[in-house]
Amino acid sequence: MSIDNADRFLIAAAQSEELRHYFQTVKNPQEFADMAHSLGYEFTPEDLQMAVAEHSQNVSQRRHTGVWEWLRTVPWIER
């Protein structure tokens, strides 16, 4: 598991609404990681949270499109 894999997932999710769609019914961090694993992405919920935090540093305004808008619907990810 790694933050690099979580980064790879975030890049793919930013480019694919279809990929983000798979996660609409996910209810908790472990289900999220399990769904990602079934799609070929190996990371823990903690890895994903660290990747999001790393990409959020020094960002004062985010676009209301793509992966960041979608991540706002994932309640357990802190931004």
Side-chain angles (χ1 to χ4, degrees):
M1 313 290 176
S2 76
I3 295 173
D4 290 339
N5 288 333
D7 281 338
R8 189 171 61 86
F9 169 78
L10 289 172
I11 290 166
Q15 298 171 356
S16 173
E17 186 174 339
E18 181 179 339
L19 177 60
R20 296 189 302 266
H21 179 77
Y22 284 104
F23 295 86
Q24 287 182 332
T25 60
V26 170
K27 294 179 178 59
N28 62 57
Q30 191 56 53
E31 281 185 25
F32 195 100
D34 292 344
M35 175 63 73
H37 176 76
S38 73
L39 296 168
Y41 298 94
E42 295 276 339
F43 56 83
T44 65
E46 293 79 16
D47 292 335
L48 184 61
Q49 288 177 323
M50 287 191 295
V52 168
E54 188 175 296
H55 290 292
S56 296
Q57 289 180 349
N58 301 319
V59 174
S60 60
Q61 184 176 10
R62 293 181 185 86
R63 289 188 239 158
H64 294 286
T65 60
V67 72
W68 293 113
E69 181 68 16
W70 169 69
L71 284 173
R72 286 185 186 95
T73 68
V74 181
W76 55 270
I77 295 180
E78 293 187 23
R79 294 155 294 285

